[in-house]
Amino acid sequence: MSQTPAGTLPWQQTIRRQMAEAIAVGRFGQAVLFTATPGVGVDRLVNDVCMALLCRQPESVGYACGACAGCRLYAAGTHPDLTTLVPAEVGGEIKVDQVRAFANTLRLTPQYPMGRLGWIAPLERLNRSAANSALKIIEEPPVGSIIVAVSERPSAIPPTIVSRFTVWRLAPPTSEAGRDWLDQQGLASAAVDRDSLRAPLAVAERADTDSTAWLERWDADLARLLSGRASVSGVAERASDAAPAFWLDWLARRVNAILEHRLGVTDGVDLPPRLAALTETGALADWQALAERVAETGRFRYSNADWQLVMESVLLRIEAMGRQSNR
C-alpha cells in the first residue's frame, strides 16, 4: 500500500506519515485533538486516521487497508465501536446529556479487538456544563479506547480541555499547492485570490453552489455602501439567505484585501474593479478596526444572537466610513 493513501490531500502527506509513525510505535495518544483553519481539510485527514485505527488488516501500520470488515463498516458509518459526540442541531451546542451518553458508550466492551473510538466534533461546541462533564472521560479514556476531537476554532476551546489532548495542528497549503489541487479537481483557480487558495476545500464547496452570483451581488452592495448609496438593512437582507460562514469568508477577504492595498501591498491581492476604485475610502485605522471586528464576528455564528443584527452591526461600520469620506 502507498504511504500516502489516495484520500490524503497533498499538503497533508507529511503530517499523515508522522501520525502513522506515532501509531506504529504506540505514541499516538488516547486523547488526540486535530486543529486547522477552515477549508484546509482537517475532517478528511481525521477520517483517514480513524479508519486506520479501526482497520483489522492494515497492510502498513497506521494506514487502513480499505477492504476489511472494519474499514467497510467505518466507510458505511455503521462501525459498532465508533461513538460520535456532535451537536444535535447544525450550529448548535453539545450538551451535558450527550457527553454522559458518549462516556457511557465508550466504556462498553468493544466488539472488535482494536478497541473503541470516540469522535468529538467540533470540540469548541461543548457548552460549559458539557465541557466540565467531558473532562474526566477525556483525561482518562477507558483502557484500549481512543478519543479524537476536531476543531477549526481552537482558540474557542477552554484551556482546561485543550491541555488534556495531544494536539496535531494541520497547516494550510501554500497558495501554489492550493491552486494545483483546485486545477486537478477541474475547478477554475485563476480568479481565486491568494488567501482563498490556502483554503481550497472551501473554494471547492462554494463551487458547488451558485457562488458567482452571490459574490457579484455582495461586491456591488459593498461598493454602494462605501459610496453612500445603499442602506445597511437592505444589504444585510440580501445577504441573509446565504450561509453565515460563506458571507463572513467573503467579507473577511474583501476587507483584508482593501487593508493590504492601504498598507501598500498590492502584489497578489485581488479586488474587483468596483472595489479597487474605493480603497482610499475611510481611514486606515478604521479598516484595521473593521478587520478585527469581522474576525471577532465568527463566534456569533454559534450563539443565539440574531444573525441579521450581527451583520448589520458590521455593515454600520462600513456605512460610517463611506459617509465620512463622502461629506
Side-chain angles (χ1 to χ4, degrees):
M1 180 177 182
S2 168
Q3 289 297 98
T4 53
T8 304
L9 294 163
W11 55 91
Q12 297 174 350
Q13 292 179 0
T14 298
I15 196 170
R16 180 64 182 90
R17 284 193 292 269
Q18 293 171 350
M19 291 176 185
E21 291 167 2
I23 293 170
V25 299
R27 294 182 180 176
F28 185 66
Q30 268 197 284
V32 186
L33 170 61
F34 299 85
T35 70
T37 52
V40 172
V42 65
D43 282 338
R44 287 183 60 160
L45 179 67
V46 178
N47 262 310
D48 189 37
V49 171
C50 286
M51 182 180 281
L53 292 170
L54 292 172
C55 178
R56 301 182 66 186
Q57 299 173 330
E59 295 181 16
S60 177
V61 178
Y63 292 100
C65 72
C68 71
C71 287
R72 292 197 304 271
L73 286 168
Y74 182 86
T78 57
H79 199 294
D81 292 333
L82 174 65
T83 304
T84 59
L85 179 57
V86 299
E89 300 176 353
V90 176
E93 295 182 330
I94 297 174
K95 301 179 180 178
V96 66
D97 289 345
Q98 293 177 270
V99 172
R100 291 170 181 157
F102 172 81
N104 290 336
T105 302
L106 206 60
R107 294 188 182 103
L108 297 175
T109 301
Q111 295 191 30
Y112 291 98
M114 289 70 63
R116 286 196 170 272
L117 179 65
W119 175 311
I120 308 174
L123 185 61
E124 70 271 12
R125 297 310 302 140
L126 290 167
N127 66 26
R128 181 175 298 179
S129 297
N132 290 334
S133 179
L135 279 173
K136 183 172 179 58
I137 192 70
I138 295 171
E139 189 170 28
E140 299 179 9
V143 175
S145 67
I146 293 176
I147 296 175
V148 299
V150 181
S151 177
E152 292 182 336
R153 298 179 59 239
S155 62
I157 306 170
T160 52
I161 294 289
V162 175
S163 65
R164 267 66 175 184
F165 285 94
T166 298
V167 181
W168 290 85
R169 293 180 175 85
L170 179 58
T174 63
S175 298
E176 292 75 16
R179 187 182 300 281
D180 289 344
W181 183 80
L182 288 170
D183 290 341
Q184 290 168 10
Q185 308 309 305
L187 300 172
S189 65
V192 179
D193 63 86
R194 182 180 56 190
D195 288 339
S196 293
L197 289 171
R198 304 197 72 197
L201 271 76
V203 176
E205 184 178 352
R206 289 198 298 270
D208 291 335
T209 66
D210 188 15
S211 60
T212 300
W214 282 113
L215 298 180
E216 289 179 351
R217 181 188 305 175
W218 296 341
D219 285 341
D221 276 343
L222 179 56
R224 285 194 289 268
L225 202 58
L226 286 169
S227 302
R229 295 184 289 108
S231 70
V232 166
S233 59
V235 171
E237 180 69 29
R238 285 187 289 277
S240 62
D241 290 335
F246 185 17
W247 184 81
L248 269 179
D249 174 68
W250 160 81
L251 184 60
R253 287 187 289 113
R254 293 299 187 249
V255 170
N256 287 328
I258 291 173
L259 184 56
E260 288 182 330
H261 267 277
R262 295 296 298 268
L263 293 171
V265 180
T266 57
D267 184 32
V269 178
D270 300 313
L271 269 176
R274 57 163 61 97
L275 292 177
L278 294 167
T279 55
E280 295 305 314
T281 300
L284 175 60
D286 290 335
W287 282 105
Q288 291 172 323
L290 178 61
E292 292 177 2
R293 175 61 178 167
V294 171
E296 293 171 357
T297 300
R299 63 190 173 91
F300 290 108
R301 286 185 290 156
Y302 304 109
S303 71
N304 294 323
D306 184 315
W307 180 242
Q308 177 115 355
L309 293 178
V310 171
M311 286 194 294
E312 288 183 5
S313 71
V314 177
L315 294 171
L316 280 168
R317 290 174 175 247
I318 300 174
E319 180 188 50
M321 285 193 290
R323 286 181 175 175
Q324 186 173 9
S325 296
N326 290 302
R327 285 177 180 173

